[in-house]
Amino acid sequence: QKEVEQDPGPLSVPEGAIVSLNCTYSNSAFQYFMWYRQYSRKGPELLMYTYSSGNKEDGRFTAQVDKSSKYISLFIRDSQPSDSATYLCAMTRNQGGKLIFGQGTELSVKP
Amino acid sequence: DSGVTQTPKHLITATGQRVTLRCSPRSGDLSVYWYQQSLDQGLQFLIQYYNGEERAKGNILERFSAQQFPDLHSELNLSSLELGDSALYFCASSGLANTGELFFGEGSRLTVL
């Protein structure tokens, strides 16, 4: 069993839809949780960062962490075609440590 | 542009050969990470260096090795290549105030024929 599980999709939604992306994990020692976005033929870039449990909002993006359930989510409101990319969850036990990534969910937002 | 530079961008070689991938981290970043990305395995952590010293090791094969030089650039050496080594290899770096954010290069795409 992988440490981090993420549905690879692909996920296709119409423009303006609310998108929900999720990951589950098995290691309770993870404390730092991130979402990276990867466009085709590019390296991943950090989208959201959360420490421990709770919610964080940044514009159209909201990240949620539920450590008791070992479950993290990313919500995208009013999705745009420019949001079409692969979204990877990532987590680590401590700052400066190795990041463990989910497999990534491929998202396509249709105009 | 993340500030992390990887060369070469594309590489095609044959089974049994050896290749070297090069990474220049962002200016001032001391940590370098190597990841392998394939369709079926996703982004897999290989190895981390901090200021020239190996810091953490992941699922890196014995046929693979890496090092970080005094000028902080890093190289990943892949030898006795197999078809299954075909993948995207990413280098990432992070700074002293590392909050967990890694800055990724654009990757080196290796194709083994």
Side-chain angles (χ1 to χ4, degrees):
Chain A
Q1 185 187 3
K2 292 183 179 180
E3 276 190 288
V4 180
E5 298 278 359
Q6 182 178 6
D7 186 341
L11 182 61
S12 182
V13 302
E15 183 174 355
I18 296 175
V19 176
S20 172
L21 304 168
N22 311 293
C23 287
T24 58
Y25 62 95
S26 56
N27 190 343
S28 58
F30 288 139
Q31 294 202 78
Y32 299 87
F33 303 90
M34 283 144 270
W35 286 94
Y36 279 75
R37 178 174 60 194
Q38 185 178 18
Y39 290 112
S40 180
R41 304 183 189 281
K42 297 289 186 182
E45 56 179 353
L46 183 67
L47 190 62
M48 296 288 284
Y49 174 93
T50 311
Y51 169 68
S52 195
S53 284
N55 295 355
K56 185 172 184 179
E57 189 173 321
D58 184 1
R60 297 184 294 110
F61 299 88
T62 300
Q64 290 185 350
V65 175
D66 182 349
K67 288 190 70 179
S68 63
S69 302
K70 298 191 183 70
Y71 188 87
I72 72 171
S73 301
L74 177 71
F75 298 95
I76 307 174
R77 291 183 299 281
D78 188 25
S79 56
Q80 302 296 308
S82 58
D83 295 329
S84 297
T86 296
Y87 290 80
L88 303 112
C89 62
M91 47 201 78
T92 182
R93 295 171 59 177
N94 50 354
Q95 290 181 338
K98 62 182 182 182
L99 279 185
I100 306 300
F101 283 84
Q103 190 156 345
T105 300
E106 185 182 348
L107 171 67
S108 177
V109 181
K110 303 294 188 186
Chain B
D1 183 0
S2 67
V4 178
T5 304
Q6 288 187 250
T7 56
K9 288 193 186 331
H10 302 276
L11 194 53
I12 301 174
T13 188
T15 54
Q17 294 299 304
R18 172 190 170 95
V19 298
T20 297
L21 309 180
R22 182 188 168 100
C23 169
S24 294
R26 289 189 321 159
S27 177
D29 282 358
L30 299 179
S31 276
V32 168
Y33 305 74
W34 286 97
Y35 283 83
Q36 179 192 57
Q37 187 175 42
S38 58
L39 279 175
D40 58 341
Q41 292 292 321
L43 204 58
Q44 298 288 310
F45 170 72
L46 295 178
I47 198 164
Q48 176 196 1
Y49 280 85
Y50 179 83
N51 202 21
E53 300 290 326
E54 183 182 302
R55 174 67 68 92
K57 216 167 191 175
N59 300 321
I60 187 167
L61 299 171
E62 285 191 11
R63 300 183 285 109
F64 296 0
S65 64
Q67 55 184 327
Q68 186 179 27
F69 295 88
D71 67 353
L72 301 178
H73 91 271
S74 178
E75 293 181 355
L76 178 67
N77 300 296
L78 316 174
S79 61
S80 302
L81 286 168
E82 302 175 0
L83 295 178
D85 298 328
S86 296
L88 257 176
Y89 291 85
F90 283 105
C91 170
S93 72
S94 65
L96 278 175
N98 181 19
T99 58
E101 178 174 10
L102 301 186
F103 296 87
F104 282 83
E106 297 207 342
S108 292
R109 182 174 294 279
L110 173 65
T111 302
V112 182
L113 301 176

